[in-house]
Amino acid sequence: LLTQLSGNVSLVLTPDIDESRLHITRDTSPASHLLYFKTILAINQKYIDAFHFNTPAVLVLQEISEKGDARLAAQSAEAYELLLQEYYATRVPLTLLELHTSFIAYYYANNVVYGALRDFKTDPLKAYLAIQEIGKLAASARDLQLLLGRAVANNNIDLSAL
């Protein structure tokens, strides 16, 4: 029944990224690349520390199903929203634009999924759809790691300076 009903409800997991909102620089020097990676590392670390991003999705789902408590989902949705804002404000070298927009797309999808889980009481169908997407987010994270590795290799970025 949920599958039939969910045919009329959807989660939009891919953002329309307005590149005019991005701070793209034509400076593709090693120093610019290093500054970019230092910036995103600091942003990510800030939210890992503040929102316990290492909380597995299964624990978020467990809190919802066993206790009816969506606080972890709400914290995650908020963190992903804040991450998105900071990523939009980050200066990105043109050569790393694909990587940067992939980060934005990944964080956007997480924000949508955890937002739907947060709102499970008012919109259980979207929450159901969000649960179906959790495994895809993990696969997307692995794809993002591969893209990051290629960007580092293709641009000869020395991450030892981080």
Side-chain angles (χ1 to χ4, degrees), residues 20-124:
S20 70
R21 288 184 58 201
L22 299 176
H23 300 278
I24 303 167
T25 177
R26 297 209 181 277
D27 178 2
T28 59
S29 67
S32 179
H33 286 137
L34 197 55
L35 177 61
Y36 172 77
F37 281 107
K38 283 182 178 180
T39 302
I40 64 167
L41 183 63
I43 291 168
N44 289 337
Q45 193 60 50
K46 178 168 97 175
Y47 292 101
I48 287 170
D49 292 344
F51 290 96
H52 312 290
F53 261 12
N54 51 355
T55 302
V58 68
L59 291 181
V60 173
L61 295 173
Q62 186 177 5
E63 287 289 307
I64 291 170
S65 67
E66 291 178 4
K67 300 177 184 173
D69 185 353
R71 279 183 290 178
L72 289 175
Q75 287 176 349
S76 294
E78 178 186 357
Y80 284 116
E81 178 62 34
L82 294 170
L83 266 168
L84 282 167
Q85 291 172 19
E86 292 207 37
Y87 266 75
Y88 270 106
T90 298
R91 195 175 153 108
V92 57
L94 184 59
T95 49
L96 298 175
L97 184 58
E98 178 187 4
L99 174 65
H100 191 71
T101 57
S102 295
F103 276 124
I104 289 172
Y106 176 73
Y107 293 140
Y108 177 86
N110 276 275
N111 175 259
V112 170
V113 166
Y114 285 101
L117 293 173
R118 173 197 60 218
D119 300 336
F120 78 97
K121 288 181 181 176
T122 57
D123 198 339

